[in-house]
Amino acid sequence: MAKIAVTPDQLIVFTLDLIPWIAAFVAITLSLNLEYGFLGIPNFGKVLAVTGGAFVVGSLPGQLIAWLFGLGSGLDYFDNHAQIIPGVNGVLARDPLLAIVLLLFTLVVAALVGGLLGFVSSYPALRLREEYLGMTLLAMGEVLIIVGNNFKPIVGGTLGVFVPSFFSWVPHGLRPYAITGLIGAVALASLLFVYRVTRSPWGRVLRAVRDDEVLAASLGKDVVNYRRNVLIIAGAIAALGGAMLALNSGAVNARNFSRVNHTFIPWVMVIVGGAANNLGVVIGTVFFVVMQRVVDVFKPDLQPYVPFDVVWLNPILLSLSLIFVMMYWPNGIVRERPTRTLTREELDALIEKKRMQKS
Amino acid sequence: MALEPTVVSAVLSGSLAALASVGLTLTYLTTKVPNFAHGSFLTIGAYISVYAVQLNRQNPYIYAWLAFVVAGIVAVAQYRLVLRPLISRGTPIVGQMVATVTVSIFIFGIISIIADWANRVYKVQTSFVFIRHADFVFEEIPGVMISSIALLATVSLGLYVALHKTRFGTAMRAAIENPSLAGVVGINVNTVYTLSWFLSGGFGGLAGLLFALWFPVTTTSGDEFLPTIFASSVLGGLGSIFGAFAGGLVVGVSSVSLPFALASFGLVEIIQFRPIIPLVIMVIILLTMPEGLTSINMRNILRRWRRSP
């Protein structure tokens, strides 16, 4: 077998290419973990919020700038986006502040749209039992993709649309780093947010609702409210993940979103990594993204040895690893930790402190 | 008399959806998990049809038994190797659903590898294949339409007789109704469930074989047809075999004919949105009457109708 030589340069390019993928999928899987791992909602329509976020990035900023600066007025934006986008990029290159504000605005709108889609999915989520709910959410996700693929005013229908370059003001060689840095920062922020939220008293209630809904309700917890809020928050985070995917690829096409890639692969990542454990979910995500990228990158080296396209090994490896983990490691790589309780000493210290305050 | 292609598509989609959703319901009754890999059984059958034409230059109907057996064995393998071990390990239902999706991803990978390999070695087209020309034509009616209706009639009659008139059918219904009690009176529940899965896969394979004779075949054909199958089962109540027949006919026919009917009123763009129809039917049924057609109490309706003057 030919020796596969990797130079340090290639390694840097490989890692740089990897970070946005990991970041986007970390946001998606964490949101799924919030819904399924912590609250037990089987969201088989994860692609709904992801696609919503990506559609905002494809649709909003370009049209907004084109409208504000009168670029290509009188022309249909989606028919002529190949001519209009360079003009938009020119405007953004001259005005870094505008580019940054526009970028933040786009991300906020993407999160809002994701939250709205989460709110919409809370309607069935409050009414149906598990398998019916899974099918309903799956259908809702499919509907959005089909509409996006055929209804031009969203993201240009079957042809798709380019995303304006928000970093055209950055010197040419540094641009990939800027995009990667931004995407990484958004993912890190959502990671910290989910970490804090799930360790808070609010997060503990989620697990209580998941484990025994009636018990939680009997203690005065409004189960309906918790479900709805989690779906809204998770929708917003997943939409940010979709927005990151769109920013990274530089174009949005509804065809590139599918129930396999953006619903079920995140599910595999969550279950293999360990549901209801954020660290495990991050590990699962990194594992599968790296696996896929490795198959992609080493494809030319592997190709001579097999009589078919190497990419088809991806689905097989993915499914075998999931079935294996489900059978022999049902809690995933990193299992759920019990809620940390206070030790006797800590409790005594707290009681003492309270008493001191009173007296 | 030549038939409109739309009419053929509508009838075919109706009968194939009925056939496939009967299979889906059979497995749902046994393991109580919606099988998201059911579309893959259709893809397997469709590719057997394609290879019969592309590689052997033979009539696909000769290979109907092969489609039935291969898809049936794959279904049994899914049940014995994946679902049953998971159920016995106490995997929750959501985990089982994800496992069925994973099985469909696995089958997709295998089918893609075989298609790619056949494409390279035999230099034949193996994606987006049209093999309508291999079908027979009877009095200007495409053979696939006749055979699909005949198959559907045979299957429904056969299932009715098997389930209600034979000892084995009684055992099967008992095992579905109450597995532990059926086990107590000496019914081998495992055999019964395995046979249901085999039949389920087999019907799916046959539906796929016929699917390929009219619609274009690619590695995701079955998965694209899956929403129609699910909507049919859901409309039929998700637990009723004969409800699934009715549901399949309604959803399959309407998902093809409704857009064309609307298009004839001048809404031509609506045809692109055709795949939405089964999805919308499914969501509406699940949200408004989750028991599907079985929740309609015919006797009550009749009584009310008689009482009103």
Side-chain angles (χ1 to χ4, degrees):
Chain A
M1 196 172 151
K3 198 163 178 290
I4 298 169
V6 183
T7 63
D9 274 359
Q10 279 174 316
L11 205 63
I12 292 173
V13 170
F14 179 70
T15 326
L16 255 187
D17 179 56
L18 212 55
I19 290 173
W21 286 97
I22 292 178
F25 271 94
V26 158
I28 297 169
T29 50
L30 281 177
S31 74
L32 181 60
N33 193 29
L34 201 59
E35 290 163 336
Y36 170 66
F38 288 98
L39 196 53
I41 299 174
N43 192 349
F44 280 21
K46 199 69 259 182
V47 69
L48 180 72
V50 175
T51 315
F55 282 3
V56 169
V57 173
S59 186
L60 177 75
Q63 290 197 76
L64 195 64
I65 293 292
W67 177 70
L68 281 177
F69 290 82
L71 298 165
S73 51
L75 294 171
D76 184 80
Y77 178 76
F78 290 108
D79 282 339
N80 303 291
H81 71 272
Q83 286 88 50
I84 298 175
I85 293 280
V88 173
N89 286 347
V91 170
L92 294 177
R94 282 193 298 277
D95 196 345
L97 185 68
L98 177 71
I100 293 171
V101 170
L102 181 69
L103 179 58
L104 292 178
F105 176 69
T106 310
L107 289 178
V108 169
V109 174
L112 287 178
V113 167
L116 185 72
L117 289 170
F119 179 73
V120 172
S121 20
S122 78
Y123 181 81
L126 302 175
R127 285 165 180 79
L128 297 174
R129 72 160 197 256
E130 280 157 334
E131 65 260 44
Y132 286 21
L133 174 60
M135 287 192 281
T136 312
L137 293 177
L138 185 111
M140 285 163 64
E142 293 289 290
V143 167
L144 183 64
I145 297 175
I146 294 167
V147 170
N149 206 359
N150 292 305
F151 187 58
K152 215 172 61 179
I154 300 181
V155 280
T158 44
L159 294 175
V161 64
F162 288 121
V163 175
S165 167
F166 290 99
F167 292 104
S168 38
W169 46 276
V170 178
H172 199 76
L174 294 175
R175 254 178 238 172
Y177 296 95
I179 295 177
T180 307
L182 168 89
I183 294 176
V186 176
L188 210 61
S190 50
L191 180 68
L192 289 176
F193 174 76
V194 174
Y195 249 99
R196 268 205 71 78
V197 146
T198 49
R199 285 175 174 220
S200 67
W202 188 81
R204 285 200 295 278
V205 176
L206 297 188
R207 292 202 238 177
V209 171
R210 177 196 66 187
D211 291 338
D212 194 333
E213 205 175 295
V214 179
L215 180 69
S218 77
L219 293 172
K221 306 295 176 194
D222 187 348
V223 175
V224 168
N225 240 336
Y226 279 95
R227 283 240 166 90
R228 185 178 296 130
N229 291 345
V230 162
L231 277 166
I232 292 172
I233 294 170
I237 297 172
L240 284 177
M244 289 184 236
L245 285 175
L247 286 173
N248 185 40
S249 67
V252 178
N253 190 329
R255 240 180 321 174
N256 296 340
F257 292 89
S258 69
R259 62 171 181 255
V260 170
N261 288 331
H262 302 93
T263 298
F264 292 122
I265 290 182
W267 266 94
V268 172
M269 291 165 173
V270 167
I271 290 184
V272 169
N277 187 312
N278 292 321
L279 177 70
V281 167
V282 173
I283 291 174
T285 312
V286 172
F287 174 75
F288 281 107
V289 173
V290 170
M291 187 185 88
Q292 285 189 345
R293 302 305 296 170
V294 163
V295 171
D296 283 353
V297 169
F298 292 114
K299 195 179 144 182
D301 299 301
L302 293 167
Q303 197 60 72
Y305 302 96
V306 282
F308 52 83
D309 198 331
V310 180
V311 291
W312 303 124
L313 290 176
N314 266 331
I316 292 182
L317 289 174
L318 187 97
S319 46
L320 285 181
S321 51
L322 178 92
I323 300 285
F324 180 80
V325 167
M326 280 182 103
M327 293 223 186
Y328 301 106
W329 236 344
N331 293 314
I333 297 171
V334 189
R335 55 189 305 156
E336 182 181 358
R337 294 276 147 76
T339 312
R340 187 180 161 274
T341 43
L342 297 175
T343 59
R344 187 60 198 254
E345 290 80 48
E346 284 169 315
L347 259 180
D348 283 344
L350 271 178
I351 293 169
E352 194 59 33
K353 207 171 145 194
K354 259 267 160 62
R355 201 175 291 157
M356 297 282 275
Q357 279 171 353
K358 264 187 189 165
S359 59
Chain B
M1 168 197 89
L3 273 173
E4 280 276 326
T6 321
V7 175
V8 181
S9 291
V11 171
L12 202 58
S13 132
S15 51
L16 296 185
L19 206 56
S21 66
V22 166
L24 182 71
T25 309
L26 268 176
T27 54
Y28 182 79
L29 283 171
T30 58
T31 36
K32 300 284 181 285
V33 50
N35 182 13
F36 286 97
H38 199 76
S40 311
F41 305 154
L42 268 82
T43 320
I44 292 173
Y47 266 96
I48 286 175
S49 209
V50 165
Y51 292 138
V53 176
Q54 299 276 60
L55 302 180
N56 285 2
R57 315 224 160 277
Q58 276 175 323
N59 192 322
Y61 289 107
I62 304 171
Y63 290 93
W65 64 274
L66 189 67
F68 187 80
V69 171
V70 171
I73 289 174
V74 171
V76 170
Q78 184 193 357
Y79 171 60
R80 299 291 280 243
L81 302 180
V82 179
L83 275 180
R84 208 174 67 183
L86 286 179
I87 293 170
S88 67
R89 274 162 227 259
T91 309
I93 182 143
V94 176
Q96 294 172 32
M97 280 161 85
V98 175
T100 66
V101 175
T102 319
V103 170
S104 85
I105 294 176
F106 181 79
I107 299 176
F108 166 76
I110 300 283
I111 289 175
S112 306
I113 284 178
I114 296 174
D116 205 21
W117 174 79
N119 175 271
R120 279 170 200 220
V121 175
Y122 297 102
K123 309 274 177 263
V124 289
Q125 197 191 349
T126 51
S127 60
F128 297 102
V129 205
F130 251 114
I131 52 166
R132 246 182 227 192
H133 58 84
D135 195 14
F136 69 91
V137 177
F138 178 77
E139 303 264 340
E140 292 191 45
I141 299 171
V144 65
M145 191 159 149
I146 302 168
S147 46
S148 70
I149 294 173
L151 181 65
L152 185 67
T154 321
V155 165
S156 55
L157 213 69
L159 262 184
Y160 181 79
V161 172
L163 283 177
H164 293 273
K165 305 286 175 200
T166 64
R167 262 183 90 81
F168 190 84
T170 317
M172 196 164 187
R173 282 185 294 137
I176 286 167
E177 196 76 29
N178 190 337
S180 14
L181 199 58
V184 167
V185 296
I187 294 167
N188 191 338
V189 177
N190 260 327
T191 318
V192 170
Y193 280 17
T194 306
L195 188 80
S196 319
W197 274 84
F198 183 76
L199 287 179
S200 162
F203 294 155
L206 285 180
L209 187 98
L210 297 180
F211 180 92
L213 285 168
W214 186 258
F215 300 107
V217 175
T218 186
T219 45
T220 51
S221 293
D223 292 324
E224 280 156 24
F225 199 58
L226 190 68
T228 312
I229 307 175
F230 264 81
S232 313
S233 275
V234 165
L235 181 63
L238 244 188
S240 149
I241 289 178
F242 297 98
F245 272 109
L249 289 174
V250 172
V251 175
V253 170
S254 62
S255 69
V256 173
S257 56
L258 210 62
F260 281 99
L262 288 174
S264 65
F265 290 114
L267 294 158
V268 183
E269 289 87 20
I270 212 103
I271 292 181
Q272 300 166 343
F273 295 93
R274 217 169 75 181
I276 286 184
I277 290 176
L279 298 164
V280 171
I281 293 178
M282 185 158 105
V283 171
I284 292 174
I285 298 284
L286 282 173
L287 286 174
T288 54
M289 39 188 260
E291 301 287 303
L293 290 177
T294 47
S295 67
I296 301 171
N297 192 335
M298 273 321 265
R299 240 174 254 160
N300 261 353
I301 292 175
L302 274 179
R303 204 182 301 149
R304 215 172 287 165
W305 181 67
R306 277 200 205 116
R307 213 180 287 157
S308 60

